[in-house]
Amino acid sequence: MKRNFIKILILFLVSALTLTGCKIGGVKKVYFKAYNSQASQSEAGDISVENETYRLEWNDQNKSIIFTDIKTDREYSTIPAKSGTVQAEQLNTQLLSDIIIEYIDYENNLVTAIGSYDGAVLGGKVDCIKIENGFKVTYYFGNEEISVPVSYTLGSDGIKISFNPSEICENGKGIYRVSIAPYLCAISNKSEDSYLFVPSGSGALIKAGSNSNSNQIYSQEVYGKDPAVEQRYSVSNEQAVKLPVYGMKDGNKGFCAIISEGAETASIEAVCGADWFGYSSVYSTFQIRSYSSVRSFMFGTTSFNDLYSDGPIETVCSVDIIPLYDSKANYSGIAETFKKKMIASSSIKNNETPLNLIIYGGIMSKEAFLGIPYDSLCATTTLKATKNMINELSKKTNTEMSVMLKGFGSTGLDKGKLGGDFTVNKKLGSKKELFGINDFCKEKNIGLYFDFDLVCKKTSAWFAFGSSAKNLNNQTAYQYVYDKALRSQIEAERYVLASRNDLFDNAQKLLDKTENWSLSGVALDSLGNIAYSDNSQTKYMVKNGMAEDVEEILSKISKSGKNIAVADANLYAAKKADVIFETPSTSNKNDMFYADVPFYQMVFKGIVPMTSTAVNTALDEQSAILNAVESGAGITWALFDSFDTKLTDSYYAVYNTGVYDDIKEKIISETNRLKDFYKAVDGTTIYEHNILENGLRQTVFSNGTEVFVNYSDSDISVDGEKVPAKDFLLKIVK
Amino acid sequence: MKMAIKKVVKYVAICFLSALIGLGIVFTVSAQSSIPVESYTYWEDMSSEGSRKAVYSKPIFDIVAVIDSNVLNVAPFSELNDIFVGEKYIYLLDGSESRLTLIDKEYKLFKEYTSFSLNGESVTFNGASGVFQKDEYIYICDTENERVLVADMSGNVKREIQCPQSTLIPDDFRYRPVDFAIDSQGYTYILCEGSYYGMILLSPEQEFVSFFASNDVELGVQKILGNIIERVFPNNTKKAGSESVLPYSITALCVDSNDFVYTVTGSTEGWGQKGQIKKLYHGTGDNILKAGNINFADDGYSTSTVAGGLNQDLCDVAVDNNNYIYGLEGTYGRIFMYDESGTIISAFGGGVGEGKQVGTYQKACAIALNGENILVCDSLKNSVTVYKSNQLGLLIKKGRLLTLKGDYTASAEIWNQVLEQDSCCQLAYSGLARFFLANKNYNKALEYSKIGYDRETYSNAFSKIRENTLKENFWIIFLVSLILIIGIAVFLVVSTKRKISLVHNKEMQLVTSVMFHPIDTFSTIKEKRMGSVCISAALMLLFYLTSVLRNIYGGFLFTYYDAASFNALWEFAKSVGVVVLWIVANWLVCTLCSGNGRFREIIIVICYSLIPLILNSLLQLILSNVLLRDEAAFLNIINTVAYIIFFLLLCFGSMIIHDFSFGKFLRTALFTVIGMAIVIFLLILIVILFQQFSGFLSTVIMEMSMK
């Protein structure tokens, strides 16, 4: 018996040791079609297709696409200069590329980028064949043995550029990312009346030119960084890209580029070219293989390894590029075009509520019984106090309001059981009290939304294994809270993301558990703004399918008769919601940006009611209120009832400010002051937005009402009327 | 109507664009600003004396501009490595390109120098590291050329400051100036790269005076012992391998309006950094910063960034007219703001060397103050970020100044306003506590000082409350005390005479008598085989519980209980763990040393000996709630007495049960302590072995799962 046991043990150890000899990231089996440079043959010479509005040409000499507006005879090219006016030799070779690929060399696990000009035009070949309404160009990267077919087709409003990852062929090296038409939206660094637009946070403009001798790069993933990719430390906070759109303005022409398919896998990138480079551009890059930075433990030390998925995603990636002219060639035009194309079908919902509250229930804190520690909720606002707050503010402002209750579940704001265990923490009150508030709000026509976290949960490693999102090596993709000072991970505070497969079940659980709650509204903060991968299944890699899944879930909840609130939401959630809380008020503040614009609000104003970020938590309260006025979003206040020194342990900066008694007078006075403004812009969309003199901004609403907002410290005059410093001027058209 | 609006808009837009080009400066934060990294501060004295806890705070500075070559409309910089705010202009030094850019106080370009002129010849300063200006002269620390260039505002070099000639300057001294300052008396301070001698101090006549303010070498006990051993037992190998211990060199300096010299010392020890910023009296070089021995950066370092972690590295310092000190940390890109007493006001900035957003840094290298504005220079981003105090910042700065001056009444209103905007401001609670104390509202003072962990104010307020309570209730307290004392005395006399005992259980009688008749009690335990293991276990548990209770419910002035950081397991190990270790080790040692005591007896002796410590904990628990900090001596005396009794009981008990002499007891006790250390060492070894084995197993499982 003993001998057998020893034998088995030795066998196990030998097998294990043999297996440990395997290297992470060794040569892998390629799941793509095999590369074959003879696979297709180009049609001889230039090819051209056209419809009523546009003409699309293949310039066989330059191996570039030329796109012409027939009516105005305006011409665009994937090479950033008018066809025929600039010789290819005059430009940097990178600028001559229709696509840029990044591939993984499995021998050394390194990712390398190469443009189609260097890789295919010079080092391989480029084929072009005609297809319906356009043509398909295949770029054969000879040295890398990779071919990428890209379709260029004409539509009624522009051009669609797309590729299907399953058509890519390769041999030994795998494609990681593909940038399509990187210089179609390029502008000369010398061009003065021009800018690039990126939807970072609220939206931002980038001026051409550079302050350094090298190109500056901007890159942000659409719908935010993938949380399933472990972030070992947090450099800073990010204002994510919420809308899959970008564009540019160059004099009286511009582009609106909409990522119409595969948006979750895309990043919006911009290059602010150095003087020698000559151009600045914005484009989209699609990630078609999943990536994980995985931990391994060996003898007490942790190391990280880069892993890439074997197979590709199974989604077509495409960008619609729509030319804009004259008065529409600006970010207002981009917003209008995007709105028409992406959310035109959405009907106009309720109007903005001038007063919006986010009330925080509590956080978990450590308590000890005779030195034995246990976790307990530190109640910052009970339901009783909540009702008093709503009642008092409702009475004193006599205005429409919306209220979101956050952190009232079993573990407060902290991560715990899914959906806060679909209950109310006893320290905060009872369900009965919650229903009482709900009835009260219904009576007063106040929108009440109780927040449920359907994505994040804290659970032990064993329980997490079966129900959480995974890394590429099937480890749980843990999420971390970061140290306030050093910004490094706090292991004790780690939590997990629900398995993507489980999201539908989680939503059903929410409906089942709250069936008898008689809640009129639910808030789905995390579901609306977290897009993530789950590498346990190929269909969920690179955040793929998140938009579709969430839209389906929200539709289901909506059908059950509940109103839905989201916060800081991505496009797919925002357009399905009944109200969007905390719309982004600033961009990501990258060094390259020269101005923030309220693009997000320009898209949703008049379609989905929106609220600003909480003004009392903002760096400058007055500027935050002006920001809300500029974009027509309702004012939001973040509140809690009482301060406790335990809150100093909190990882939520919201607890720095917002004690109700301290700020209630301010809330009342500001709400009453802004009533007329909200009445004037009720039910309108934003027609136009302009950045005027330094610190002065103008928003024109669809009913002709204009608002001039002055962020500066001195008064500014507009048409003889004064816009006071740190204030606004409302011009109502009667 | 719409057409008209459009025309106006177009016109205004064109005007705006022209204005932008004409202005030459673009305020990056044109609409609502935000900083992509949270600001924080440190709450002090929460979990132990001198401890600090990072707490988010509302930002007190707003970014109003970012200045770079685009904004100034000049050629791109290569490496902006210093900034100095002079009387009229701000000086930006790009040392790698021998380039000095002058901008006015409104951040508009004034002039650029790429070289100076000396007797008609061009003088460049490639590799310069520092810039300074005073009285129409610009001073460039031309590091690579080992000189300080002194030029007038037209760029004509008037003189060069070379390495002074003095016998006091060692031969191996390398004169590579990196920072420079002149005080109001004309004394010149030159800081040289890597110099551990301190700064070169020149008289107004430019004669070498001395090296000024070198850092001290800090030697721990371990290092001193090591040095002694090496000197006592020297050999050639040891001599060859020996290192000279040198002080850390100063990395930057500045001089304030009162001629105090501020120096900053960069990366020192990983975890134990302290005293990096010094405020030096210009006469003696003494550090007069009251809290000079604190860590002026963050505690610890991030280990999840790179292997081995990132050390804190304070690289520059600036001081404003109100003596607020601003230290710049280069690795993480933080700005630490302190008041004149060394209390932290705020920490902000960030980027951990990768910052791509406004307000984050890749290599923050210099800090300067332009009035109320803080300027931070980044040598990789080649930009200068301009911070300005927001409303909250102005309030905190004003409130803190008033509090430090003792004008608590004026500061109270400000602190209330601060708390409305930031509930997590420890300084505000402390300031209000002092206001209430000054206004004799002691209960409020107690409340606020407790929230703000201001034990000094709490003690003062508590002293007044206790004094008032004693005054108002003197006769009641006196009478109750008198009755109690008389009652106890009478009870003791009567019970002794009539042999009355409250405890009838014989085992319990042993417990009560052990402190008064230890020899009899332990003899009884040994000879009559009395004493209870159950009671011993209960005493051990009681020992743990009273220790915990003392920590949790002890008076605020004497305890530092923080539920978030309180470690009950550690407390258990310190109390029960040590007792158990003693029992095991003592049994092992005494068995080898022919001790007669049995395992059971050892347990009973050590546990019964704990009684004075248990009583001590209870007394400390009660007295710490009524005594003041000044009266801590009483608690110390009680503590010492309790430990002496404990030791005596242990001594008597062990001698009796093992039948040892005192000398033998001491020897076995020493071996027991060594035995305890060995057991701990073995336990640690087992834990490490287990950790490594589990790590190996998890790696194997991971590899198998990936296969």
Side-chain angles (χ1 to χ4, degrees):
Chain A
M1 184 65 193
K2 199 178 172 184
R3 273 188 176 181
N4 281 343
F5 176 74
I6 291 167
K7 270 183 193 171
I8 291 165
L9 190 70
I10 290 170
L11 195 66
F12 168 76
L13 283 174
V14 168
S15 330
L17 286 170
T18 314
L19 286 168
T20 50
C22 304
K23 198 177 79 181
I24 290 173
V27 178
K28 294 191 175 183
K29 189 180 172 187
V30 176
Y31 287 76
F32 280 171
K33 284 183 181 174
Y35 174 79
N36 176 7
S37 63
Q38 307 303 317
S40 76
Q41 289 297 317
S42 179
E43 290 175 26
D46 297 346
I47 307 169
S48 165
V49 289
E50 65 179 56
N51 61 15
E52 287 174 353
T53 327
Y54 302 108
R55 182 171 56 247
L56 193 62
E57 294 165 87
W58 167 248
N59 182 334
D60 198 46
Q61 189 193 342
N62 281 349
K63 307 289 182 198
S64 66
I65 310 292
I66 299 161
F67 171 52
T68 313
D69 183 335
I70 296 168
K71 283 177 193 165
T72 59
D73 210 27
R74 286 187 172 107
E75 200 175 87
Y76 309 92
S77 171
T78 47
I79 295 176
K82 278 191 176 178
S83 170
T85 58
V86 171
Q87 292 299 310
E89 292 76 31
Q90 290 176 279
L91 294 169
N92 184 287
T93 56
Q94 199 182 328
L95 287 162
L96 299 169
S97 298
D98 290 346
I99 64 165
I100 298 171
I101 62 163
E102 289 170 48
Y103 62 91
I104 309 147
D105 187 342
Y106 289 116
E107 288 297 329
N108 50 26
N109 217 31
L110 288 179
V111 172
T112 313
I114 187 165
S116 61
Y117 185 79
D118 286 328
V121 177
L122 300 179
K125 66 166 187 163
V126 180
D127 279 351
C128 179
I129 54 166
K130 207 166 179 179
I131 57 172
E132 193 183 347
N133 290 329
F135 36 78
K136 183 183 271 188
V137 181
T138 306
Y139 302 89
Y140 292 88
F141 294 79
N143 293 335
E144 292 72 26
E145 295 190 293
I146 291 169
S147 64
V148 185
V150 180
S151 301
Y152 300 84
T153 51
L154 282 178
S156 59
D157 52 1
I159 175 177
K160 180 188 275 290
I161 307 174
S162 62
F163 71 95
N164 188 342
S166 60
E167 291 176 359
I168 293 173
C169 301
E170 54 190 5
N171 187 21
K173 296 182 175 82
I175 288 201
Y176 178 46
R177 304 202 318 157
V178 179
S179 307
I180 52 178
Y183 299 103
L184 184 61
C185 290
I187 47 177
S188 165
N189 282 354
K190 288 172 186 159
S191 173
E192 285 176 354
D193 183 18
S194 64
Y195 55 73
L196 305 174
F197 162 75
V198 289
S200 172
S202 63
L205 306 180
I206 301 169
K207 287 201 94 172
S210 172
N211 71 336
S212 72
N213 294 318
S214 54
N215 286 345
Q216 284 184 290
I217 310 290
Y218 158 82
S219 177
Q220 275 193 287
E221 288 177 38
V222 175
Y223 305 142
K225 269 186 192 163
D226 186 355
V229 177
E230 184 172 341
Q231 209 183 337
R232 291 162 61 190
Y233 58 101
S234 160
V235 171
S236 56
N237 304 324
E238 186 185 90
Q239 287 289 334
V241 166
K242 302 282 174 189
L243 309 172
V245 59
Y246 56 92
M248 67 90 163
K249 171 192 167 67
D250 189 6
N252 61 354
K253 63 177 186 177
F255 271 128
C256 170
I258 299 168
I259 304 170
S260 50
E261 289 170 282
E264 299 97 320
T265 67
S267 293
I268 292 173
E269 313 208 326
V271 55
C272 208
D275 283 345
W276 59 266
F277 197 71
Y279 288 88
S280 297
S281 185
V282 59
Y283 54 93
S284 52
T285 298
F286 294 88
Q287 185 181 331
I288 58 170
R289 273 196 162 90
S290 192
Y291 163 78
S292 286
S293 173
V294 299
R295 286 169 177 241
S296 55
F297 307 96
M298 184 61 88
F299 302 120
T301 53
T302 305
S303 59
F304 289 85
N305 299 287
D306 293 334
L307 277 188
Y308 300 93
S309 61
D310 295 337
I313 56 163
E314 294 160 355
T315 285
V316 174
C317 305
S318 64
V319 180
D320 295 349
I321 294 183
I322 301 151
L324 305 170
Y325 304 113
D326 306 323
S327 64
K328 295 293 174 196
N330 51 38
Y331 58 87
S332 298
I334 297 171
E336 193 183 319
T337 309
F338 178 72
K339 190 159 60 173
K340 270 185 193 163
K341 206 162 165 69
M342 298 302 281
I343 43 180
S345 56
S346 302
S347 56
I348 292 180
K349 295 174 184 169
N350 297 326
N351 297 320
E352 270 74 33
T353 47
L355 176 59
N356 306 280
L357 309 176
I358 300 176
I359 300 174
Y360 295 100
I363 58 162
M364 296 306 283
S365 66
K366 285 270 179 228
E367 297 281 348
F369 174 72
L370 296 178
I372 301 159
Y374 64 95
D375 291 322
S376 167
L377 190 94
C378 170
T380 52
T381 319
T382 60
L383 285 171
K384 195 178 169 189
T386 303
K387 191 174 178 181
N388 291 340
M389 285 180 196
I390 298 171
N391 190 20
E392 188 176 6
L393 290 176
S394 167
K395 269 183 190 166
K396 291 189 175 171
T397 59
N398 194 25
T399 187
E400 289 177 315
M401 60 195 274
S402 298
V403 180
M404 186 196 279
L405 303 182
K406 282 188 87 169
F408 282 76
S410 59
T411 52
L413 280 176
D414 288 310
K415 305 287 181 281
K417 286 188 178 170
L418 197 83
D421 207 17
F422 303 102
T423 186
V424 175
N425 189 296
K426 281 178 186 168
K427 283 196 170 180
L428 300 171
S430 62
K431 282 183 193 168
K432 204 177 164 187
E433 278 177 278
L434 178 66
F435 304 156
I437 297 175
N438 190 58
D439 293 342
F440 171 78
C441 288
K442 263 185 193 167
E443 192 186 310
K444 299 270 181 186
N445 201 20
I446 295 168
L448 181 76
Y449 304 91
F450 191 93
D451 186 49
F452 295 96
D453 189 341
L454 299 185
V455 177
C456 308
K457 57 183 179 175
K458 204 170 181 179
T459 180
S460 71
W462 291 109
F463 287 109
F465 194 75
S467 60
S468 62
K470 298 286 189 298
N471 282 330
L472 276 173
N473 64 342
N474 221 25
Q475 284 178 346
T476 301
Y478 284 109
Q479 306 300 296
Y480 294 87
V481 170
Y482 295 90
D483 185 277
K484 290 170 196 170
L486 301 174
R487 313 287 294 183
S488 49
Q489 293 171 343
I490 299 175
E491 289 278 343
E493 298 289 333
R494 72 179 188 182
Y495 57 96
V496 301
L497 301 167
S499 146
R500 282 277 302 273
N501 250 346
D502 288 352
L503 280 182
F504 294 94
D505 295 341
N506 296 347
Q508 189 55 49
K509 212 179 275 179
L510 164 70
L511 291 175
D512 295 343
K513 296 260 184 181
T514 59
E515 198 179 357
N516 302 322
W517 280 34
S518 71
L519 275 180
S520 52
V522 291
L524 299 164
D525 183 354
S526 55
L527 189 70
N529 62 33
I530 300 177
Y532 64 101
S533 306
D534 182 352
N535 292 299
S536 57
Q537 290 186 48
T538 308
K539 64 178 179 176
Y540 295 139
M541 283 179 177
V542 206
K543 303 188 286 187
N544 200 16
M546 191 74 195
E548 201 181 324
D549 290 355
V550 174
E551 279 189 46
E552 199 178 325
I553 289 168
L554 295 184
S555 297
K556 193 176 177 184
I557 294 171
S558 198
K559 273 179 197 163
S560 75
K562 287 189 167 57
N563 291 328
I564 297 168
V566 288
D568 195 20
N570 294 326
L571 172 72
Y572 51 83
K575 66 182 184 184
K576 288 278 173 187
D578 294 287
V579 57
I580 312 165
F581 274 83
E582 296 201 280
T583 53
S585 58
T586 69
S587 71
N588 196 42
K589 297 287 178 195
N590 282 49
D591 295 317
M592 290 163 73
F593 298 169
Y594 103 97
D596 289 357
V597 289
F599 184 87
Y600 188 96
Q601 290 82 352
M602 289 162 77
V603 168
F604 288 107
K605 173 78 179 103
I607 294 177
V608 185
M610 311 170 288
T611 84
S612 67
T613 47
V615 294
N616 57 310
T617 59
L619 184 62
D620 178 359
E621 217 167 278
Q622 203 52 41
S623 295
I625 290 173
L626 290 180
N627 190 267
V629 169
E630 183 189 348
S631 61
I635 304 282
T636 303
W637 301 85
L639 299 175
F640 59 100
D641 187 44
S642 57
F643 178 78
D644 190 305
T645 46
K646 284 175 192 160
L647 296 176
T648 56
D649 288 322
S650 153
Y651 290 96
Y652 307 96
V654 291
Y655 280 121
N656 279 97
T657 178
V659 177
Y660 176 66
D661 284 338
D662 288 346
I663 60 171
K664 69 177 174 189
E665 293 307 325
K666 201 188 292 173
I667 298 173
I668 294 162
S669 67
E670 287 294 345
T671 308
N672 289 330
R673 182 171 80 96
L674 295 169
K675 262 183 191 171
D676 289 343
F677 166 75
Y678 285 104
K679 204 174 168 187
V681 300
D682 215 14
T684 61
T685 56
I686 294 177
Y687 176 72
E688 197 167 347
H689 180 271
N690 294 294
I691 302 167
L692 305 176
E693 293 174 71
N694 198 19
L696 186 68
R697 287 162 168 246
Q698 178 203 33
T699 308
V700 184
F701 293 92
S702 56
N703 62 355
T705 299
E706 288 176 78
V707 64
F708 290 88
V709 176
N710 180 4
Y711 287 97
S712 75
D713 293 326
S714 50
D715 298 349
I716 297 174
S717 184
V718 175
D719 297 340
E721 286 189 71
K722 190 175 81 174
V723 190
K726 293 270 178 195
D727 208 342
F728 67 93
L729 171 71
L730 184 64
K731 283 188 166 184
I732 302 172
V733 178
K734 291 180 181 171
Chain B
M1 182 63 197
K2 275 186 182 173
M3 286 304 289
I5 293 167
K6 273 187 190 173
K7 275 184 182 173
V8 172
V9 170
K10 266 187 194 171
Y11 173 74
V12 180
I14 291 163
C15 290
F16 166 60
L17 284 167
S18 321
L20 279 182
I21 297 156
L23 271 172
I25 172 165
V26 177
F27 278 80
T28 309
V29 190
S30 47
Q32 190 197 352
S33 61
S34 73
I35 296 174
V37 184
E38 291 93 349
S39 297
Y40 59 95
T41 183
Y42 279 101
W43 276 48
E44 293 177 348
D45 298 335
M46 285 183 87
S47 55
S48 64
E49 193 164 4
S51 66
R52 306 196 303 169
K53 180 161 83 175
V55 175
Y56 282 138
S57 64
K58 219 176 160 188
I60 62 170
F61 288 95
D62 196 357
I63 296 168
V64 289
V66 177
I67 302 156
D68 57 21
S69 58
N70 262 357
V71 168
L72 296 174
N73 204 15
V74 294
F77 294 113
S78 282
E79 190 184 341
L80 270 184
N81 49 359
D82 199 17
I83 183 169
F84 181 80
V85 178
E87 288 139 14
K88 281 186 185 168
Y89 303 106
I90 298 166
Y91 300 78
L92 306 177
L93 178 70
D94 182 347
S96 65
E97 278 198 335
S98 177
R99 191 168 156 195
L100 183 68
T101 307
L102 275 65
I103 57 176
D104 66 18
K105 301 274 178 107
E106 301 297 318
Y107 312 112
K108 286 176 192 161
L109 182 70
F110 171 66
K111 195 188 265 186
E112 269 207 299
Y113 295 106
T114 50
S115 65
F116 288 149
S117 155
L118 176 64
N119 301 325
E121 284 186 17
S122 170
V123 178
T124 58
F125 40 88
N126 287 87
S129 310
V131 60
F132 180 81
Q133 180 267 320
K134 191 176 171 68
D135 300 335
E136 301 300 317
Y137 289 107
I138 302 167
Y139 300 81
I140 301 282
C141 295
D142 192 0
T143 315
E144 291 300 325
N145 295 310
E146 301 187 347
R147 63 187 174 182
V148 175
L149 287 173
V150 186
D152 63 17
M153 297 303 284
S154 306
N156 299 311
V157 175
K158 293 295 172 188
R159 63 192 169 93
E160 291 179 7
I161 304 175
Q162 301 284 0
C163 184
Q165 299 299 313
S166 169
T167 51
L168 295 172
I169 299 176
D171 294 338
D172 64 345
F173 179 75
R174 287 203 68 191
Y175 182 71
R176 288 171 59 79
V178 289
D179 211 351
F180 185 94
I182 302 175
D183 69 12
S184 65
Q185 304 295 314
Y187 284 91
T188 303
Y189 301 87
I190 304 171
L191 178 66
C192 292
E193 188 181 82
S195 166
Y196 45 83
Y197 297 103
M199 293 168 278
I200 290 175
L201 176 62
L202 302 180
S203 70
E205 293 76 32
Q206 297 299 294
E207 286 166 359
F208 178 74
V209 178
S210 66
F211 279 110
F212 182 75
S214 65
N215 283 323
D216 297 326
V217 176
E218 286 187 15
L219 286 175
V221 176
Q222 195 187 348
K223 274 188 181 173
I224 292 169
L225 284 176
N227 285 347
I228 292 169
I229 291 167
E230 276 184 16
R231 288 188 184 201
V232 173
F233 307 104
N235 62 35
N236 288 339
T237 318
K238 277 183 184 175
K239 278 179 189 171
S242 67
E243 294 171 352
S244 34
V245 183
L246 299 173
Y248 291 105
S249 55
I250 298 164
T251 46
L253 80 132
C254 73
V255 177
D256 73 4
S257 53
N258 297 315
D259 286 348
F260 285 108
V261 182
Y262 292 78
T263 62
V264 61
T265 303
S267 182
T268 55
E269 312 280 343
W271 279 92
Q273 293 197 43
K274 55 186 178 180
Q276 304 97 316
I277 295 177
K278 289 180 177 169
K279 180 181 183 179
L280 306 165
Y281 178 59
H282 57 89
T284 59
D286 292 335
N287 184 13
I288 60 162
L289 208 55
K290 285 175 197 165
N293 214 25
I294 62 163
N295 182 0
F296 284 88
D298 288 316
D299 295 319
Y301 50 79
S302 174
T303 49
S304 55
T305 46
V306 291
L310 285 174
N311 269 356
Q312 302 281 323
D313 183 15
L314 280 171
C315 60
D316 203 3
V317 63
V319 185
D320 70 12
N321 291 333
N322 292 316
N323 294 325
Y324 283 111
I325 304 164
Y326 302 84
L328 178 67
E329 197 284 322
T331 312
Y332 291 82
R334 298 253 191 252
I335 300 112
F336 294 92
M337 180 187 173
Y338 292 89
D339 68 13
E340 63 182 35
S341 68
T343 303
I344 190 164
I345 306 293
S346 183
F348 52 99
V352 205
E354 295 180 20
K356 287 180 181 168
Q357 293 156 280
V358 173
T360 61
Y361 302 97
Q362 290 177 10
K363 194 179 176 190
C365 63
I367 188 167
L369 302 172
N370 176 25
E372 284 291 318
N373 291 359
I374 305 170
L375 313 181
V376 177
C377 180
D378 189 314
S379 62
L380 282 181
K381 289 166 91 171
N382 287 315
S383 63
V384 174
T385 307
V386 182
Y387 291 88
K388 187 183 175 187
S389 284
N390 59 17
Q391 194 205 0
L392 178 65
L394 292 173
L395 286 172
I396 290 179
K397 284 203 271 186
K398 197 174 170 188
R400 187 62 183 160
L401 275 181
L402 289 168
T403 301
L404 288 173
K405 279 181 191 166
D407 190 350
Y408 303 128
T409 311
S411 70
E413 179 53 33
I414 293 169
W415 288 130
N416 277 320
Q417 287 179 47
V418 167
L419 284 181
E420 277 178 22
Q421 294 184 53
D422 187 356
S423 315
C424 294
C425 181
Q426 190 182 23
L427 296 177
Y429 292 111
S430 169
L432 282 171
R434 289 176 198 200
F435 163 73
F436 287 122
L437 180 67
N439 285 280
K440 299 184 179 176
N441 188 344
Y442 302 121
N443 286 322
K444 275 277 180 194
L446 222 57
E447 182 190 332
Y448 275 85
S449 55
K450 197 166 183 181
I451 298 174
Y453 289 85
D454 181 354
R455 287 183 166 79
E456 192 185 328
T457 310
Y458 186 94
S459 182
N460 292 334
F462 184 65
S463 147
K464 295 288 178 190
I465 290 173
R466 196 181 66 170
E467 192 182 308
N468 292 342
T469 312
L470 284 173
K471 268 183 194 169
E472 286 164 15
N473 306 295
F474 176 77
W475 286 110
I476 300 169
I477 294 167
F478 176 75
L479 285 174
V480 170
S481 307
L482 195 69
I483 292 165
L484 266 177
I485 290 165
I486 292 169
I488 291 168
V490 168
F491 172 76
L492 285 175
V493 171
V494 172
S495 61
T496 313
K497 276 188 180 175
R498 297 188 182 177
K499 293 186 178 174
I500 297 169
S501 175
L502 288 176
V503 182
H504 298 291
N505 182 303
K506 290 207 170 173
E507 293 292 356
M508 286 307 291
Q509 276 175 352
L510 284 178
V511 176
T512 52
S513 68
V514 74
M515 272 181 67
F516 306 105
H517 310 288
I519 295 170
D520 291 346
T521 310
F522 288 126
S523 299
T524 313
I525 289 168
K526 178 74 184 168
E527 288 159 13
K528 297 186 180 175
R529 295 197 174 183
M530 286 184 72
S532 160
V533 175
C534 289
I535 291 174
S536 300
L539 285 171
M540 200 160 24
L541 192 66
L542 206 58
F543 178 48
Y544 164 70
L545 288 178
T546 50
S547 305
V548 168
L549 288 174
R550 176 183 166 183
N551 276 311
I552 297 177
Y553 299 111
F556 175 69
L557 292 173
F558 298 94
T559 51
Y560 291 85
Y561 173 69
D562 177 22
S565 57
F566 184 76
N567 190 338
L569 270 180
W570 175 237
E571 203 59 43
F572 189 80
K574 278 198 304 182
S575 51
V576 176
V578 171
V579 173
V580 170
L581 265 181
W582 171 273
I583 293 167
V584 174
N586 191 253
W587 177 69
L588 291 170
V589 169
C590 292
T591 308
L592 292 173
C593 297
S594 315
N596 293 336
R598 289 187 292 180
F599 193 71
R600 177 180 168 276
E601 289 162 358
I602 295 171
I603 294 172
I604 292 167
V605 164
I606 179 85
C607 291
Y608 281 36
S609 303
L610 290 174
I611 291 170
L613 297 186
I614 293 167
L615 292 174
N616 173 47
S617 289
L618 289 172
L619 267 177
Q620 301 269 342
L621 173 65
I622 297 161
L623 291 177
S624 64
N625 279 292
V626 290
L627 293 180
L628 299 174
R629 278 196 136 186
D630 301 341
E631 297 153 357
F634 289 112
L635 295 181
N636 291 338
I637 290 167
I638 294 168
N639 208 33
T640 310
V641 169
Y643 273 96
I644 289 170
I645 298 173
F646 162 73
F647 177 75
L648 288 174
L649 291 180
L650 188 63
C651 173
F652 293 144
S654 299
M655 283 165 66
I656 290 165
I657 60 163
H658 292 302
D659 196 15
F660 282 165
S661 65
F662 182 66
K664 196 165 185 183
F665 162 72
L666 283 182
R667 280 200 299 279
T668 52
L670 181 69
F671 284 127
T672 304
V673 172
I674 293 169
M676 286 164 77
I678 292 168
V679 173
I680 291 170
F681 176 70
L682 288 174
L683 283 174
I684 291 170
L685 272 187
I686 291 165
V687 169
I688 291 172
L689 202 67
F690 181 76
Q691 266 182 349
Q692 294 201 342
F693 185 67
S694 64
F696 167 73
L697 275 185
S698 69
T699 310
V700 168
I701 291 165
M702 195 187 78
E703 292 283 353
M704 288 171 81
S705 70
M706 286 170 67
K707 192 71 187 159

